[in-house]
Amino acid sequence: MSTYLEVDVSQNDFHGTTILAVKTPTGVAMAGDGQVTMGQAVVLKHKALKVRRMYKDRILAGFAGATADAFTLFERFESKLEAFSGNLLRASVELAKDWRTDKYLRRLEALLVVADKSTVLVLTGTGDVIEPDDGIVGIGSGGPYAQAAAKALVEHTQMSGRDIAEKSMLIAAQMCVYTNDQFTIEEVA
């Protein structure tokens, strides 16, 4: 029996990206599409980098939402990782606390997926730090499509985490107009 946690991000409409993290026994693969849109009709960029490596290349982070807000959160998260010697969970909890309580930060419109070789977390501006039960999570407008594809591929194939992430993102790109097929894929093992 699965347990579902509903995260209310209704004040934010995160259309315009897809980020997917897939944990396997050998590590974590994280993928992000490259499309940047303005409004509902204009594609401004095709090869944006929405997934990056942090803290001595041992941590991955991806964002969905407003770009400037995401960069602010990346900087804050990176400083938390430094302060807590790369401890993913501690840095995540501290960022979520700041994000929820800081007058400036709480207005930021983004979601983050962060991971090390054994843990995947979703961070929200409402103070949530969520670890998915199966280590698979998708955020952004194409996130549910990519996540569903990844769950099926993990269960029914022997593909690597990287291959699962790539194939799942291709499926999302075929279904979501805000997701393209120009991916950044990073792995930690």
Side-chain angles (χ1 to χ4, degrees), residues 58-138:
R58 296 187 344 217
I59 305 291
L60 301 177
F63 75 88
T67 307
D69 294 353
F71 286 138
T72 299
L73 291 168
F74 274 165
E75 287 174 13
R76 289 286 183 113
F77 184 60
E78 210 154 24
S79 71
K80 296 294 184 188
L81 286 169
E82 291 295 330
F84 297 107
S85 303
N87 182 318
L88 179 69
L89 186 56
R90 182 79 189 272
S92 297
V93 168
E94 292 302 319
L95 176 66
K97 279 195 237 176
D98 288 354
W99 193 356
R100 182 176 49 83
T101 60
D102 183 272
K103 190 178 202 178
Y104 170 73
L105 289 180
R106 71 174 166 235
R107 296 186 336 177
L108 299 182
E109 296 183 4
L111 288 174
L112 295 180
V113 174
V114 297
D116 62 14
K117 66 183 179 181
S118 61
T119 305
V120 175
L121 301 170
V122 177
L123 310 180
T124 75
T126 57
D128 296 309
V129 177
I130 304 162
E131 181 176 14
D133 290 337
D134 57 5
I136 301 169
V137 68

